Amino acid sequence: MRKFNIRKVLDGLTAVSSAASASSAAQQQQAGNRESEIQETLQSEHFQLCKTVRHGFPYQPSALAFDPVQKILAIGTQTGALRLFGRPGVECYCQHDSGAAVIQLQFLINEGALVSALADDTLHLWNLRQKRPAIIHSLKFNRERITFCHLPFQSKWLYVGTERGNIHIVNVESFTLSGYVIMWNKAIELSSKSHPGPIVHISDNPMDEGKLLIGFESGTVVLWDLKSKKADYRYSHDEAIHSVAWHHEGKQFICSHSDGTLTIWNVKSPTRPFQTITPHGKQLKDGKKPEPCKPILKVEYKTTRAGEPFIILSGGLSYDTVGRRPCLTVMHGKSTAVLEMDYSIVDFLTLCETPYPNDFQEPYAVVVLLEKDLVLIDLAQNGYPIFENPYPLTIHESPVTCCEYFADCPVDLIPALYSVGARQKRQGYSKKEWPISGGNWGMITQSYPEIIITGHADGSIKFWDASAITLQVLYKLKTAKVFEKSRNKDDRPNTDIVDEDPYAIQIISWCPESRMLCIAGVSAHVIIYRFSKQEVTTEVIPMLEVRLLYEINDIESPDGEQVPPLPTPGTGSNPQSIVPQSHPSTSSSSSDGLRDNVPCLKVKNSPLKQSPGYQIELVIQLVWVSGEPPQQITSLAVNSAYGLVVFGNCNGIAMVDYLQKTVLLNLGTIELYGSNDPYRREPRSPRKTRQPSGGLCDINEGTMVPEDRCKSPTSDVKDNSFSRSRSSSVTSIDKESREAISALHFCETFTRKADTSPSPCLWVGTTLGTVLVIVLNLPPGGEQRLLQPVIVSPSGTILRLKGAILRMAFLDTTGSLVSPAHEPWREHNVPEDKDEKDKLKKRRPVSVSPSSSQEISENQYAVICSEKQAKVISLPSQNCIYKQNITETSFVLRGDIVSLSNSICLACFCANGHIMTFSLPSLRPLLDVYYLPLTNMRIARTFCFTNNGQALYLVSPTEIQRLTYSQETCENLQEMLGELFTPVETPEAPNRGFFKGLFGGGAQSLDREELFGESASGKASRSLAQHIPGPGGIEGVKGAASGVVGELARARLALDERGQKLGELEEKTAAMLYSADSFSKHAHEMMLKYKDKKWYQF
């Protein structure tokens, strides 16, 4: 696992990438040794950098809104992000430039627009009618702080409540303030002696738009008459108010309070509440008030035609429920359901059938926004089951510690992973369709499969289908289930080297073709998995323990023997004889009482049932050595064709034959060099310190490292200041100065200058910039592979670069990538028939690389990328034919050799925020863009490039940001993105009914233009708020803002047309109205005639 020195990282941020011009001149071009020129097709115009999509749960959510007609959900966050969700697969991410927290969101229902209110007292109007929403208008309040907003359905006037208790009115079309203001002192007049506090609620009476209900924090509620500009009623309560909700008939409203009570008020009875409820209060026998409870943060009051209304609330639990999880309470008639949540509730909304507030609401679901999850509850089913969430919001279920990205995988992989993952799904979800169903999918222009693998702090691994800019979980593997779990902290073994998350995943090595998976964990453990569609029970889990030492020859080894010298190059002796075999954990301490020969984790000794999917092939653990814990693993590679896994740390390297379950190689880094060691080594110092965890959740970003470390002969002092430790602990000078294994690559290539044909080998890269080659002598395939030993020997080949080695790859004579050999996947848990066995015997397990089938005279190219530079080396001659100094003053965090547009290139991400690509083999600079500075270790640990111009990193603890460096993908992105807004007809308004029309009643409309327009109310004070035009442009204004009024006009026209179609009915109604009118006149005349007569005069 790579560790970074934060001081160097911060230095790197300020550095400037100076890759291109200087180093291209310095490229070593040895014409005599140069083989025929390779035609390179990639040019600068093939590259362009842009963000594509963001997946995962919105980090630190703060606001929620829903458009009931468009069926779109919006979530705002504390960092000013805006996430919009439609049907599964339709998602969108936007960002407010200021980064201020979103305090409230309001949809312009069915208009394709959204208003956001931010903590910096700005309002923004977003146009959602384009694939990438943009801000059309902004309004910045200068003198008052925004606390609450309300936009009535089908209105263009937004009510804005402030901390001072005033209400301002904003025209959503022009984003200007009306001169009409409701001042707090006018609203409360003499009803209260003190300031009523900030506005916590604004809403108009569902049956009368001219009456505005205003809730003040202190407990005062005012019903304001907009026309007469005075209060009709004032309702006072002792307890502070958190929220208010209307009954749809407009005769009652409900308030939630800070003492855990709900008060229901009749509009025309302001003296005292009609009813007071304490949902979670203990009722006392002697008629006393129930004990106070925690505040009810929000309440909603929703009616149904068929039965009792729903009262839904968050909070309000009694104070004696210590440790109880946050709850949502659903009260329906006499039943009260308390639904426990995994995280604290940020906000909730009830989804209803109608957008009209004056109709029966008919609630069907509740969307609950939690701190780290989004839950939808089905109100129509008994027991209120939750809906199965189709969005990829569980990335952070356990903190992500590493990730890998694979584009252009074998086509059968995703179906195979999906089929085993489908069996892991939970039961008991609602049977209904997911109700957030708005928007439309984009065009699928990319047809290749993409897979993202995430490793987590709890030892789990998730495979995600990431094809065509979507994300869907395929399969989850729990690696921790192979180990015994300690029940409590006291019971934990004293061999733990991390305080938390001992199973956290650090490195993932995966071969998509053979489906072999290998992981390295934080407790210095490696697990190899095979993929199988069959369920098996493993009686004994195969296990190896490896004692990986760091010794200098003049220091005695723990058992008093001198470390044996490495076999000399070319002898081909079997290191099996001189390498210590795996040590079973017989003793837990050496003679001097130090902990020795014990691994950090205990493997289960009972039979293990393994479901279809990834099944354990072998567990390898590094053990304690003379009281020193094993060092965390820094690099890992697996090869299915050779049946080998190799891993290294700051002590050395170990290679294991996972077919024969034997250790083939176990060497300290120094011993790899043999007599060729160019570095001055210091004797080791004793180390007793505990290691910090390798999990991303608890990275110590402030660790400083001493400057006096081993210097590479190829680097000067200036360069050396950027060579950082690859060791897992940065608390010791000794560990810091050690040379760790930083890169491993299996391949079939030329190992020595004299070689005439390629052979299987392992290339090893270290943190001091050295590349060493180890030759692999493999037995024949079939049964012989399991009987004869694999012979491992050093080749003597040593290459050097500046900075730690990050990545290695090989090109054939045409410049094509030579993939490592692999075995095709086959089902191992099914007995093979005789023909298959014969085929296997004849088959050599190594896939033939393109170069080995060609002429012997033809060559290969090794591409090696370090933190500082890249080199292309011709093989077998080992001449450096191209060199590129990627950065002088920063360092490369991630380098990948990837394919793009039927060619290949080297892609690098630097600590100074630059993303660069270079052609291969000539290392011409093709792209150099300043993308983002390295602001935390999470980005450094998770950034990865893959084929076809794709890349990703973890942008927050809960979200993955994907980007592309391909010009073609950037051009197609607009088509691939989904559409949020779709033309939907607004539902018809509820029918007023004949008698309501006849005698008045029903919903009263209000001409707000007449009240709030400039002609009636004048202009607002210029110093109060400042209008800022948004980047959405004039087209956006036409498309969304004027759409508010335009759509309204169209809706009214549509209603008129409908009215014409109902001609006959209308005529009859008109006739009835006429006769009713004449009857009314006659009645009035009669009343006047007899008005002054006494009863006895009739």
Side-chain angles (χ1 to χ4, degrees):
M1 186 76 185
R2 300 178 53 192
K3 287 272 175 183
F4 300 97
N5 175 351
I6 193 65
R7 186 196 303 165
K8 300 298 177 271
V9 171
L10 293 174
D11 287 349
L13 301 188
T14 56
V16 205
S17 167
S18 58
S21 53
S23 56
S24 51
Q27 284 177 356
Q28 299 171 1
Q29 299 195 357
Q30 301 171 358
N33 296 328
R34 178 78 51 83
E35 287 75 6
S36 57
E37 289 289 329
I38 290 169
Q39 196 66 42
E40 292 178 2
T41 54
L42 284 178
Q43 302 299 329
S44 295
E45 53 265 26
H46 290 108
F47 294 87
Q48 185 185 338
L49 195 70
C50 70
K51 290 180 182 179
T52 52
V53 283
R54 185 173 288 201
H55 302 298
F57 182 78
Y59 184 54
Q60 296 178 325
S62 56
L64 181 68
F66 183 68
D67 184 326
V69 180
Q70 285 288 319
K71 298 208 180 324
I72 295 286
L73 187 77
I75 297 175
T77 75
Q78 291 176 30
T79 53
L82 183 61
R83 290 283 294 278
L84 296 143
F85 296 90
R87 65 180 61 197
V90 176
E91 278 183 48
C92 181
Y93 159 75
C94 318
Q95 178 69 45
H96 293 92
D97 291 338
S98 67
V102 179
I103 55 172
Q104 205 177 341
L105 295 169
Q106 287 263 292
F107 273 102
L108 280 66
I109 293 171
N110 206 24
E111 302 291 349
L114 174 78
V115 173
S116 57
L118 269 57
D120 64 355
D121 308 306
T122 53
L123 295 171
H124 304 275
L125 179 67
W126 289 86
N127 176 15
L128 308 182
R129 292 178 175 232
Q130 52 197 62
K131 287 192 170 183
R132 286 193 182 266
I135 292 172
I136 301 162
H137 294 292
S138 298
L139 192 65
K140 167 82 173 151
F141 280 74
N142 298 320
R143 297 202 306 248
E144 297 204 52
R145 313 232 44 195
I146 298 170
T147 56
F148 194 88
C149 299
H150 170 63
L151 181 68
F153 179 43
Q154 293 186 327
S155 163
K156 69 170 184 178
W157 298 97
L158 174 76
Y159 300 109
V160 181
T162 70
E163 198 171 49
R164 287 187 188 174
N166 303 325
I167 292 177
H168 301 280
I169 297 163
V170 175
N171 182 331
V172 180
E173 247 183 7
S174 59
F175 242 54
T176 53
L177 276 175
S178 161
Y180 191 114
V181 182
I182 305 169
M183 302 302 285
W184 69 270
N185 51 353
K186 190 90 165 44
I188 67 160
E189 283 185 341
L190 301 174
S191 65
S192 169
K193 292 177 183 175
S194 56
H195 190 280
I199 302 278
V200 293
H201 179 82
I202 308 167
S203 60
D204 43 350
N205 185 320
M207 286 297 179
D208 189 349
E209 294 172 351
K211 306 283 195 247
L212 201 64
L213 195 69
I214 305 161
F216 295 93
E217 191 180 65
S218 64
T220 302
V221 178
V222 174
L223 188 67
W224 181 264
D225 188 307
L226 289 164
K227 284 181 184 170
S228 64
K229 299 186 183 179
K230 65 177 196 296
D232 279 359
Y233 300 103
R234 295 182 183 88
Y235 314 83
S236 291
H237 194 67
D238 300 339
E239 294 295 334
I241 289 176
H242 283 276
S243 73
V244 184
W246 279 103
H247 184 284
H248 87 273
E249 288 176 349
K251 293 173 184 173
Q252 276 187 341
F253 61 88
I254 188 167
C255 301
S256 75
H257 298 279
S258 56
D259 65 344
T261 58
L262 297 172
T263 52
I264 299 174
W265 299 78
N266 284 335
V267 168
K268 295 184 177 177
S269 305
T271 50
R272 66 172 186 273
F274 163 71
Q275 190 182 358
T276 302
I277 309 165
T278 313
H280 296 284
K282 287 179 182 170
Q283 299 298 326
L284 302 174
K285 287 178 183 174
D286 49 3
K288 286 182 184 173
K289 272 180 145 183
E291 289 175 6
C293 295
K294 293 174 187 173
I296 294 175
L297 301 175
K298 184 172 182 180
V299 64
E300 293 208 337
Y301 196 7
K302 302 296 179 186
T303 51
T304 59
R305 269 190 177 80
E308 300 278 348
F310 282 87
I311 296 175
I312 301 164
L313 56 114
S314 63
L317 294 178
S318 61
Y319 280 102
D320 60 4
T321 52
V322 179
R324 188 165 180 187
R325 294 195 293 183
C327 293
L328 187 84
T329 306
V330 181
M331 300 167 72
H332 186 223
K334 290 180 181 175
S335 76
T336 299
V338 181
L339 310 174
E340 287 196 340
M341 301 291 156
D342 289 335
Y343 307 99
S344 49
I345 297 170
V346 175
D347 198 359
F348 73 88
L349 287 172
T350 310
L351 308 189
C352 301
E353 296 291 353
T354 177
Y356 293 95
N358 59 349
D359 195 7
F360 284 100
Q361 296 299 286
E362 303 296 349
Y364 59 89
V366 184
V367 54
V368 190
L369 177 63
L370 305 176
E371 206 173 41
K372 292 184 178 178
D373 202 1
L374 182 73
V375 175
L376 248 82
I377 297 158
D378 185 351
L379 289 180
Q381 249 177 281
N382 285 340
Y384 305 131
I386 63 167
F387 288 87
E388 185 175 9
N389 196 322
Y391 304 136
L393 302 182
T394 58
I395 290 167
H396 63 288
E397 194 173 24
S398 169
V400 176
T401 49
C402 63
C403 58
E404 293 296 336
Y405 190 7
F406 300 85
D408 218 359
C409 305
V411 289
D412 57 347
L413 254 182
I414 289 174
L417 287 164
Y418 181 82
S419 68
V420 293
R423 306 177 196 205
Q424 299 176 330
K425 290 200 174 174
R426 282 174 48 198
Q427 302 300 313
Y429 290 113
S430 167
K431 304 281 189 293
K432 291 189 179 165
E433 289 287 310
W434 182 252
I436 302 162
S437 55
N440 279 323
W441 294 306
M443 298 274 290
I444 297 174
T445 55
Q446 293 176 351
S447 54
Y448 50 86
E450 295 173 73
I451 290 175
I452 293 169
I453 307 178
T454 52
H456 299 265
D458 65 353
S460 61
I461 287 176
K462 287 182 182 174
F463 290 79
W464 304 82
D465 177 4
S467 311
I469 71 169
T470 61
L471 194 70
Q472 181 188 5
V473 71
L474 291 169
Y475 170 71
K476 181 179 174 180
L477 170 68
K478 294 178 181 175
T479 67
K481 70 177 184 181
V482 71
F483 300 110
E484 299 278 5
K485 283 198 174 65
S486 49
R487 303 254 161 76
N488 53 41
K489 288 208 170 177
D490 305 330
D491 187 32
R492 287 172 67 167
N494 54 7
T495 52
D496 277 12
I497 54 171
V498 287
D499 292 324
E500 291 176 351
D501 303 322
Y503 313 110
I505 308 294
Q506 282 186 302
I507 309 172
I508 297 166
S509 176
W510 187 52
C511 173
E513 288 78 16
S514 66
R515 305 184 190 173
M516 288 300 294
L517 171 71
C518 193
I519 65 101
V522 76
S523 294
H525 62 279
V526 170
I527 310 177
I528 303 152
Y529 290 91
R530 274 189 199 276
F531 185 84
S532 171
K533 293 180 180 177
Q534 309 291 318
E535 185 178 289
V536 293
T537 300
T538 308
E539 294 300 324
V540 180
I541 296 163
M543 183 179 74
L544 278 179
E545 289 172 5
V546 177
R547 193 177 166 94
L548 199 53
L549 305 179
Y550 172 80
E551 295 290 348
I552 307 276
N553 287 345
D554 61 346
I555 305 288
E556 286 196 66
S557 60
D559 27 322
E561 291 173 12
Q562 208 68 18
V563 174
L566 191 72
T568 50
T571 58
S573 67
N574 181 5
Q576 199 71 23
S577 56
I578 57 145
V579 171
Q581 256 298 358
S582 59
H583 296 265
S585 309
T586 46
S587 67
S588 62
S589 61
S590 58
S591 55
D592 53 1
L594 295 172
R595 204 170 294 130
D596 194 43
N597 263 1
V598 283
C600 301
L601 302 173
K602 190 170 186 291
V603 175
K604 283 181 182 171
N605 51 17
S606 53
L608 182 70
K609 183 181 167 188
Q610 302 199 71
S611 305
Y614 275 102
Q615 297 170 352
I616 293 163
E617 173 79 6
L618 180 63
V619 179
I620 307 163
Q621 292 195 84
L622 295 183
V623 294
W624 286 66
V625 177
S626 304
E628 183 188 327
Q631 296 300 300
Q632 289 177 358
I633 290 158
T634 52
S635 57
L636 175 73
V638 65
N639 188 286
S640 59
Y642 306 157
L644 303 178
V645 65
V646 64
F647 55 93
N649 61 12
C650 64
N651 281 344
I653 185 171
M655 190 189 295
V656 169
D657 179 341
Y658 66 75
L659 298 175
Q660 294 187 25
K661 313 284 189 283
T662 56
V663 180
L664 300 174
L665 185 72
N666 180 356
L667 290 175
T669 321
I670 304 152
E671 297 168 292
L672 272 174
Y673 288 92
S675 58
N676 298 327
D677 187 3
Y679 301 114
R680 176 175 59 84
R681 312 280 177 176
E682 298 296 331
R684 69 185 186 131
S685 60
R687 293 173 298 281
K688 300 289 190 301
T689 50
R690 288 173 74 80
Q691 297 180 351
S693 165
L696 280 184
C697 33
D698 54 0
I699 293 163
N700 177 6
E701 297 192 0
T703 314
M704 292 300 178
V705 182
E707 288 294 324
D708 54 336
R709 47 175 110 31
C710 283
K711 293 179 172 58
S712 158
T714 57
S715 66
D716 55 25
V717 177
K718 180 184 165 194
D719 256 352
N720 187 60
S721 65
F722 286 97
S723 77
R724 296 156 341 286
S725 161
R726 281 298 169 288
S727 70
S728 52
S729 170
V730 283
T731 54
S732 141
I733 298 173
D734 176 37
K735 285 178 200 152
E736 174 65 15
S737 63
R738 289 201 213 162
E739 184 175 15
I741 307 296
S742 58
L744 295 162
H745 189 84
F746 284 106
C747 54
E748 195 171 340
T749 187
F750 302 91
T751 53
R752 302 179 183 87
K753 288 184 181 180
D755 282 1
T756 54
S757 63
S759 58
C761 55
L762 170 72
W763 284 52
V764 181
T766 76
T767 50
L768 293 185
T770 306
V771 176
L772 303 129
V773 183
I774 294 171
V775 180
L776 310 173
N777 196 340
L778 297 160
E783 284 174 19
Q784 289 300 305
R785 173 65 186 84
L786 301 174
L787 300 172
Q788 294 182 28
V790 176
I791 296 170
V792 180
S793 57
S795 67
T797 297
I798 297 182
L799 306 166
R800 289 193 192 91
L801 278 79
K802 263 196 230 172
I805 305 298
L806 300 179
R807 192 75 60 204
M808 296 175 280
F810 294 84
L811 313 181
D812 66 14
T813 190
T814 64
S816 303
L817 197 63
V818 178
S819 300
H822 62 266
E823 260 201 346
W825 177 79
R826 62 186 177 84
E827 181 58 72
H828 274 257
N829 292 331
V830 174
E832 298 151 2
D833 55 32
K834 192 169 180 296
D835 293 346
E836 281 292 314
K837 277 193 173 176
D838 289 345
K839 278 183 196 171
L840 277 173
K841 275 183 192 173
K842 290 172 190 170
R843 184 179 70 179
R844 182 170 171 77
V846 180
S847 313
V848 178
S849 67
S851 55
S852 58
S853 60
Q854 292 158 0
E855 293 289 315
I856 286 172
S857 61
E858 292 190 345
N859 57 338
Q860 284 188 0
Y861 304 98
V863 181
I864 306 168
C865 175
S866 80
E867 290 181 324
K868 291 287 186 180
Q869 60 180 196
K871 283 185 179 180
V872 174
I873 289 157
S874 178
L875 299 175
S877 67
Q878 295 181 16
N879 291 328
C880 175
I881 57 168
Y882 295 105
K883 181 173 122 185
Q884 177 67 267
N885 290 324
I886 298 169
T887 173
E888 293 291 342
T889 49
S890 184
F891 51 88
V892 178
L893 287 163
R894 176 81 184 209
D896 285 296
I897 290 99
V898 290
S899 63
L900 177 72
S901 305
N902 299 318
S903 191
I904 52 166
C905 64
L906 168 66
C908 298
F909 172 52
C910 277
N912 60 13
H914 283 253
I915 286 178
M916 294 178 268
T917 61
F918 302 92
S919 70
L920 288 174
S922 71
L923 295 173
R924 271 183 305 117
L926 297 170
L927 175 79
D928 184 352
V929 176
Y930 176 74
Y931 175 68
L932 87 163
L934 178 66
T935 49
N936 59 44
M937 291 297 114
R938 191 190 321 105
I939 297 171
R941 294 240 178 133
T942 56
F943 199 104
C944 44
F945 297 96
T946 186
N947 297 330
N948 299 336
Q950 307 292 342
L952 66 78
Y953 61 97
L954 212 67
V955 69
S956 76
T958 62
E959 295 163 291
I960 286 174
Q961 177 66 58
R962 288 165 73 177
L963 53 146
T964 183
Y965 48 96
S966 154
Q967 167 70 33
E968 186 186 358
T969 308
C970 286
E971 284 176 3
N972 293 334
L973 186 60
Q974 196 66 13
E975 286 178 30
M976 292 165 72
L977 292 172
E979 283 182 278
L980 286 166
F981 180 79
T982 48
V984 179
E985 205 167 277
T986 304
E988 283 192 53
N991 195 345
R992 285 173 66 181
F994 169 68
F995 288 104
K996 282 184 179 174
L998 182 59
F999 298 114
Q1004 301 294 311
S1005 59
L1006 170 78
D1007 190 344
R1008 295 185 178 95
E1009 187 71 45
E1010 194 180 301
L1011 273 177
F1012 306 144
E1014 203 174 297
S1015 56
S1017 62
K1019 285 189 175 180
S1021 164
R1022 284 194 175 182
S1023 61
L1024 184 61
Q1026 172 193 356
H1027 176 258
I1028 306 156
I1034 295 300
E1035 286 306 309
V1037 177
K1038 286 179 185 169
S1042 63
V1044 177
V1045 178
E1047 286 293 311
L1048 278 175
R1050 283 196 285 279
R1052 287 192 186 111
L1053 278 172
L1055 282 169
D1056 288 346
E1057 284 165 18
R1058 251 180 251 122
Q1060 286 163 16
K1061 288 173 189 170
L1062 300 169
E1064 288 175 18
L1065 186 59
E1066 206 167 284
E1067 281 165 22
K1068 285 176 187 172
T1069 309
M1072 286 170 77
L1073 280 171
Y1074 177 77
S1075 60
D1077 195 40
S1078 60
F1079 177 80
S1080 164
K1081 277 179 189 170
H1082 288 306
H1084 189 65
E1085 283 164 16
M1086 291 281 285
M1087 186 263 296
L1088 288 173
K1089 187 176 177 184
Y1090 297 109
K1091 186 173 144 187
D1092 298 320
K1093 292 186 178 182
K1094 304 293 182 196
W1095 64 271
Y1096 52 83
Q1097 292 176 320
F1098 282 104

